[in-house]
Amino acid sequence: MGYTNYWSPKKLTEKQVPEQFWKDSIKALDGVLSSGVRIGDWVGKNERKSGSEIVNATTLTDDQHPSIVFNGLEELREDYESFVLCFDGSWNFCKTARMPYDLAVKCVLILADKYGLLDEWSFDGDCEEEEYVKAHDLLFKLQLI
């Protein structure tokens, strides 16, 4: 079993998600990519080169709930489970096995929590875990928190 993040997003339409959340997510994901983490599409293929590409490649479910979807990069064997933050109100989780893309997962979830878009969020460990501290420090450095 891999290192797991758990969350419960609010049920929101595209218009209900603040535009600043998307902008901050792009900036955070650019920071993750700049740190050397490589990110792929939802199955770990098709490497994403920018935060904008990740967010703009986001899909909408049949119910038109906005989402952010990505994985680690398969060619590096750094993929595990797809991260899917979909604002459909459904509890979800993502095992990352502590692969490098966990940094991106944590950054997006911290921002979603900051904007009040989650009803709950937790992960295996606590706020003193290396993975959480690294994400928090990156977001702080980028002046996003």
Side-chain angles (χ1 to χ4, degrees), residues 44-107:
K45 300 184 188 296
N46 301 315
E47 185 172 3
R48 304 302 188 198
K49 299 290 187 179
S50 71
S52 179
E53 186 180 356
I54 295 166
V55 171
N56 291 327
T58 289
T59 59
L60 297 176
T61 66
D62 292 337
D63 295 323
Q64 299 299 300
H65 299 290
S67 58
I68 296 178
V69 182
F70 59 84
N71 201 328
L73 198 58
E74 180 186 55
E75 73 181 57
L76 300 176
R77 296 181 183 225
E78 293 180 350
D79 61 318
Y80 201 71
E81 285 187 354
S82 300
F83 171 72
V84 181
L85 174 59
C86 182
F87 295 105
D88 64 356
S90 298
W91 179 85
N92 207 340
F93 67 94
C94 175
K95 295 179 198 168
T96 62
R98 288 192 160 99
M99 295 291 180
Y101 80 104
D102 186 74
L103 178 61
V105 170
K106 292 256 188 327
C107 284

Side-chain angles (χ1 to χ4, degrees), residues 128-139:
E128 294 181 15
E129 288 280 326
E130 178 182 351
E131 290 83 2
Y132 179 84
V133 170
K134 190 173 180 181
H136 183 275
D137 289 352
L138 176 62
L139 292 173

